[in-house]
Amino acid sequence: MSLGLVGRKVGMTRVFTEDGDTVPVTVVDVSNNRVTQIKMPETDGYCAVQLAYGQRRPARVNKAAAGHFAKAGVVAGHTLREFRVHADQLASLKLGGAVGVDIFKVGQLVDVSGTSHGKGFAGVIKRHHFSSNRASHGNSVSHNKPGSIGQNQDPGRVFPGKRMAGHMGAARRTVQNVEIIRIDAERQLLLIRGALPGSRGGGVTVRPTSRAARPIAPPKPGAKAGDAKPAAAKPAVKPEK
């Protein structure tokens, strides 16, 4: 339940740290995020903020969406996302107002969601990382096959969810606990460590991470030499007569 931003994946580059190390980053454009709706517990039953990103031609907007954007007094956008927030966060937001990168800070961990690359129809080896069968010594054109998929006469059917060939990619994916390396407040850009789902130009959603940081357990002190107890001696095995 935290406010995030809607953006566009620009591409990947790298930045250098003060120590001279290189860090691969993905550049995300989150400019011109505007509030199109504020949901209150009195009217909607919960607290949420709806943000619009990008611009859409008026000819491409239907009347219902045009009225929704006109009520907020903002330009029509091509992407709408809703964020559940706490009631105290609504006081700093207003309908039609802008939300910028200042809600994030360098070093913060975020979750980034997007649509992964579409791979088309793929076999089980590429899609589910199956192992191939041997390609010689009597194996006839079955080295890339999934193998047996059914059972005996009982139950005599293939269960739903069986890992088989099919459409790969083009699915909603989320990368969690990635770090914001740098923020360009002037151009409204976020530089996030590592790769993010989707292709260049694809839409992404950035929000504070929902995974709590795991505490690092202190290393256990090594056992002292004086405390070590000798192992019990095993009884000698008498040879059989």
Side-chain angles (χ1 to χ4, degrees):
M1 296 181 64
S2 299
L3 181 61
L5 291 175
V6 188
R8 177 179 60 90
K9 180 178 176 181
V10 178
M12 291 196 68
T13 182
R14 62 178 178 172
V15 297
F16 291 92
T17 62
E18 296 179 355
D19 300 332
D21 298 330
T22 178
V23 180
V25 295
T26 302
V27 182
V28 179
D29 176 20
V30 291
S31 60
N32 198 18
N33 271 255
R34 47 205 183 273
V35 180
T36 56
Q37 187 177 7
I38 298 177
K39 296 189 176 183
M40 305 291 291
E42 297 79 9
T43 56
D44 302 282
Y46 64 99
C47 295
V49 177
Q50 186 187 85
L51 298 181
Y53 173 79
Q55 293 186 5
R56 197 171 180 88
R57 288 182 295 172
R60 295 289 184 178
V61 182
N62 56 31
K63 292 184 178 180
H68 181 71
F69 289 118
K71 183 178 180 181
V74 298
V75 180
H78 58 69
T79 303
L80 288 176
R81 287 290 182 270
E82 184 177 292
F83 299 91
R84 297 285 293 267
V85 297
H86 296 283
D88 53 355
Q89 294 182 271
L90 299 178
S92 58
L93 300 172
K94 62 178 181 179
L95 198 62
V99 181
V101 294
D102 53 350
I103 66 173
F104 294 114
K105 59 183 180 180
V106 176
Q108 184 177 355
L109 299 178
V110 294
D111 295 342
V112 183
S113 302
T115 302
S116 62
H117 286 276
K119 305 290 186 178
F121 190 92
V124 293
I125 295 177
K126 181 177 181 180
R127 190 184 186 198
H128 299 296
H129 309 290
F130 279 20
S131 298
S132 59
N133 297 321
R134 59 191 305 173
S136 61
H137 294 278
N139 190 5
S140 177
V141 296
S142 62
H143 56 282
N144 283 340
K145 303 299 181 181
S148 177
I149 61 173
Q151 297 82 29
N152 296 327
Q153 187 172 357
D154 181 24
R157 65 188 181 92
V158 179
F159 289 106
K162 181 71 174 178
R163 293 186 297 173
M164 300 177 67
H167 189 98
M168 182 179 178
R172 189 75 174 173
R173 293 292 179 262
T174 300
V175 177
Q176 293 186 309
N177 272 1
V178 286
E179 181 185 2
I180 297 178
I181 301 299
R182 189 174 297 175
I183 296 177
D184 190 339
E186 181 179 356
R187 294 185 291 178
Q188 294 289 297
L189 299 177
L190 294 175
L191 276 65
I192 303 175
R193 180 191 294 269
L196 302 180
S199 59
R200 290 190 298 269
V204 294
T205 303
V206 185
R207 67 185 71 203
T209 182
S210 59
R211 294 180 58 183
R214 297 180 180 178
I216 301 176
K220 296 181 180 180
K224 297 182 181 179
D227 297 340
K229 297 181 180 180
K234 297 182 179 180
V237 179
K238 296 181 179 181
E240 296 182 357
K241 295 181 179 180

